[in-house]
Amino acid sequence: MTSGFLSRPPAEGARLIALSYLDQAAAARTRLADPADAEALHDFRVALRRLRSGLRAYRGLLEDSVPKKLAKRLKRLAGATGPGRDAEVQLEWLHGQGSRLGSHQRPGHSWILSRTNDRRREAYEGLQEEIERDFPEVNDDLRRRLSVYRTKVHLGPQEPPPTLGETTAAILRDQIAELAAHLGKVETADDKHEAHQARISSKRVRYLLEPFAEELPDAGPLVKRFKALQDLLGDLHDAHVLETELAEAVEDAAAERARRILELSLEDPNPARLRAERRRSPEAGLIALARLNRDRRDRLFATLKDDWLEDRGEGFLREVEGLGERMAGQYAPPSV
């Protein structure tokens, strides 16, 4: 990524940052055709996420270059990569729970693994085709629009023009306030909406700071801590999503079993077969997995509470605000 952003004019610097993320997405997209490249889709998704976050942060500078229709196309493309990622994360956790289940719970484990594998396959079927169809046009349109901008040049004595450092510092203050507000509303492990919003806010702050890590040595450690907060809130969000999925799975599994028992009762009402069918019920395993996931959720929330909630993260957030002040002051042009 190009360095020396802070002292640039805001409109120029914001576009260079957005274009660097667009370059990352384009590079990852070319790797999608390689089935051995397991990280290509992840890198493509992250690049789009950074790009959208940057466009949002600097939207006051980029509105003429990113019309609503183009922003929606980019959002739709980024959203298409989400369901497959969710299924992959769930599969990784579910595979790790098999050894913790009893023999009577294994049918439920196999049942949910098969169901989640099907969801992942369905999510990824056609995804690369969709990316290949839509991304080149979005890429070309964004690149063309971001590569040129208009500016005014005033002759004669004027106030010194702002820098990207000053503009970013103001955005950073707003984003820190937004993050603090969301964290302040997370009181229990059930507050999943506010926890999710806090995760999004922490991600936005991290992405805002990352381009300046080379110019501001203090930024690197702060970015790492935001990454840790983002990961913690991300794991908590994954636990919330899986809890909903497991609740739906129990209902679906019970309905499937009821239909099978009804069919057996009508076709061959053999008591032994009916008892065997009941023993193969997946509900016991699904409920056991739901309990394990609930334990995971509660542990993650306890860590979040100990490290960030009830104003425990306030000192860190003030430190980040201080970095913003240095960004603005250090790179403000001298008065004339």
Side-chain angles (χ1 to χ4, degrees):
M1 180 177 286
T2 304
S3 60
F5 285 122
L6 288 170
S7 58
R8 291 178 183 268
E12 177 188 339
R15 282 167 172 76
L16 287 173
I17 289 173
L19 285 168
S20 71
Y21 289 143
L22 193 57
D23 287 342
Q24 292 174 22
R29 172 232 171 184
T30 62
R31 295 160 43 205
L32 291 173
D34 182 2
D37 193 338
E39 297 299 316
L41 184 59
H42 169 76
D43 292 345
F44 179 78
R45 185 171 186 268
V46 170
L48 287 188
R49 206 163 57 192
R50 286 190 169 107
L51 173 60
R52 292 187 62 231
S53 183
L55 295 178
R56 179 187 182 277
Y58 296 111
R59 59 186 178 275
L61 301 170
L62 302 175
E63 284 178 340
D64 293 341
S65 298
V66 189
K68 289 183 179 179
K69 184 176 180 180
L70 181 55
K72 287 181 179 178
R73 288 163 60 198
L74 183 62
K75 179 180 180 180
R76 185 169 59 249
L77 186 60
T81 66
R85 177 266 176 196
D86 289 343
E88 280 191 351
V89 169
Q90 290 174 8
L91 281 170
E92 182 179 359
W93 184 83
L94 289 167
H95 276 296
Q97 308 310 307
S99 62
R100 306 178 67 181
L101 301 176
S103 58
H104 68 292
Q105 297 166 335
R106 298 286 168 77
H109 188 238
S110 299
W111 188 92
I112 192 65
L113 284 175
S114 176
R115 174 185 170 106
T116 310
N117 266 311
D118 288 345
R119 283 199 297 111
R120 179 179 63 175
R121 185 180 63 255
E122 290 171 4
Y124 283 157
E125 281 180 356
L127 177 58
Q128 184 169 336
E129 181 180 341
E130 181 177 353
I131 292 172
E132 290 299 314
R133 182 186 67 240
D134 295 343
F135 180 74
E137 185 177 348
V138 171
N139 176 52
D140 291 345
D141 202 357
L142 267 177
R143 195 174 299 279
R144 175 175 55 82
R145 289 174 175 274
L146 290 171
S147 296
V148 178
Y149 71 97
R150 295 180 179 180
T151 188
K152 294 181 180 180
V153 177
H154 296 276
L155 301 178
Q158 297 289 333
E159 288 292 323
T163 64
L164 184 63
E166 292 177 278
T167 301
T168 303
I171 297 170
L172 180 62
R173 284 194 297 271
D174 291 341
Q175 291 191 349
I176 289 294
E178 180 182 285
L179 172 57
H182 287 306
L183 286 173
K185 294 177 183 177
V186 180
E187 299 179 352
T188 72
D190 290 320
D191 293 329
K192 54 186 177 182
H193 174 73
E194 288 299 338
H196 181 51
Q197 293 304 310
R199 173 193 175 218
I200 294 172
S201 294
S202 67
K203 188 189 309 178
R204 287 171 178 165
V205 176
R206 173 192 166 199
Y207 291 161
L208 185 68
L209 290 176
E210 278 182 335
F212 310 108
E214 291 184 9
E215 295 179 77
L216 296 171
D218 293 347
L222 301 182
V223 168
K224 287 183 180 179
R225 187 159 185 204
F226 273 116
K227 175 64 164 59
L229 173 60
Q230 179 187 332
D231 288 345
L232 176 60
L233 288 166
D235 290 343
L236 182 60
H237 175 68
D238 291 338
H240 282 136
V241 172
L242 183 56
E243 184 163 298
T244 300
E245 172 62 26
L246 287 169
E248 294 175 356
V250 169
E251 294 179 4
D252 292 346
E256 286 181 12
R257 180 173 60 87
R259 284 193 294 270
R260 286 197 303 271
I261 291 175
L262 175 61
E263 290 171 0
L264 282 175
S265 299
L266 294 175
E267 296 172 3
D268 182 14
N270 184 305
R273 290 191 63 189
L274 290 174
R275 285 195 298 271
E277 184 62 38
R278 292 188 178 97
R279 283 196 298 270
R280 286 194 293 269
S281 165
E283 291 98 305
L286 295 174
I287 292 170
L289 288 167
R291 288 172 179 158
L292 291 170
N293 185 60
R294 174 61 67 90
D295 290 343
R296 172 176 68 144
R297 184 204 73 168
D298 291 345
R299 288 194 303 272
L300 290 166
F301 178 77
T303 301
L304 179 67
K305 182 177 180 180
D306 290 344
D307 293 347
W308 291 96
L309 303 185
E310 298 175 354
D311 296 330
R312 291 182 177 91
E314 184 175 359
F316 172 71
L317 296 182
R318 299 293 80 78
E319 184 180 352
V320 179
E321 286 184 343
L323 176 66
E325 293 173 2
R326 294 194 294 279
M327 291 169 65
Q330 184 175 353
Y331 292 93
S335 301
V336 295

